Amino acid sequence: NPVVVDDTVFITQAYGRGSALVRVKPGGYEVVRQDERRNQSLAAHFGNVVYQDGILYGSHGRYSGTAELRAIDHATGDIRWSEPGLLWTTLLHVDGHLIVLSEDGRLHLVEVTPEAYRPKASVKPARADGTPLLRVPAWSPPVLSHGLLYLRGRDRLIALELIPDG
């Protein structure tokens, strides 16, 4: 999905170039920056990218096993930090944090900061007997509505209550 900030549009893909930032102007556009084929700042195979305070957060990589969660500078494309080992991820920005869903169904809470990857919590939602509630592929971005966090994996949608009654 493109990320629109003011008069710019950020686009990314994992096949070929990676990402580009274009400025929309009357009658057309101009390329502000574009990744070099061998030096990609953010090449998202799928999933979404989140913008916050001049930084773009997204899953970089064509293959799940080598994917990295990255924070890059919106204007320059400079990589601020990169965290491997989370597989492909989708994101949701909530109250200064990223809710990160890995494709294996693991859920991560990460502080939104350009300085470093700062994990706060991680959990793999499961039944009381330990059976995971989500199965690969969990590729849909998390959705938050009225205190319920909706997550989707293969053949299943779950809702986690984040704000209990009372």
Side-chain angles (χ1 to χ4, degrees):
N1 294 330
V3 177
V4 178
V5 178
D6 299 325
D7 63 348
T8 64
V9 180
F10 174 81
I11 54 176
T12 180
Q13 51 93 13
Y15 301 100
R17 289 234 179 247
S19 67
L21 184 67
V22 297
R23 178 165 284 110
V24 179
K25 7 192 244 188
Y29 67 93
E30 70 173 309
V31 176
V32 176
R33 66 173 178 79
Q34 182 173 321
D35 286 348
E36 298 172 15
R37 191 171 294 276
R38 299 204 185 281
N39 187 19
Q40 298 174 339
S41 60
L42 186 58
H45 183 67
F46 72 92
N48 58 330
V49 175
V50 170
Y51 172 86
Q52 183 66 36
D53 298 328
I55 304 297
L56 295 160
Y57 301 87
S59 184
H60 169 81
R62 185 168 173 188
Y63 303 102
S64 179
T66 57
E68 302 174 351
L69 180 60
R70 285 190 173 177
I72 68 166
D73 186 279
H74 175 261
T76 66
D78 293 341
I79 299 168
R80 301 296 294 269
W81 56 258
S82 188
E83 183 66 23
L86 300 176
L87 307 173
W88 280 327
T89 60
T90 55
L91 314 171
L92 175 65
H93 178 254
V94 177
D95 196 24
H97 291 83
L98 293 174
I99 296 175
V100 179
L101 178 61
S102 292
E103 73 170 324
D104 66 352
R106 182 165 292 280
L107 198 57
H108 310 271
L109 184 65
V110 179
E111 183 181 341
V112 173
T113 174
E115 286 81 37
Y117 173 75
R118 291 195 180 133
K120 298 297 180 180
S122 181
V123 65
K124 190 158 189 173
R127 292 190 171 103
D129 67 1
T131 304
L133 289 173
L134 294 174
R135 297 186 309 164
V136 173
W139 291 343
S140 298
V143 173
L144 182 63
S145 179
H146 302 287
L148 294 175
L149 181 65
Y150 294 92
L151 307 170
R152 184 175 181 276
R154 182 172 30 151
D155 69 17
R156 184 171 296 148
L157 174 70
I158 66 169
L160 303 177
E161 186 177 28
L162 300 184
I163 303 172
D165 292 335

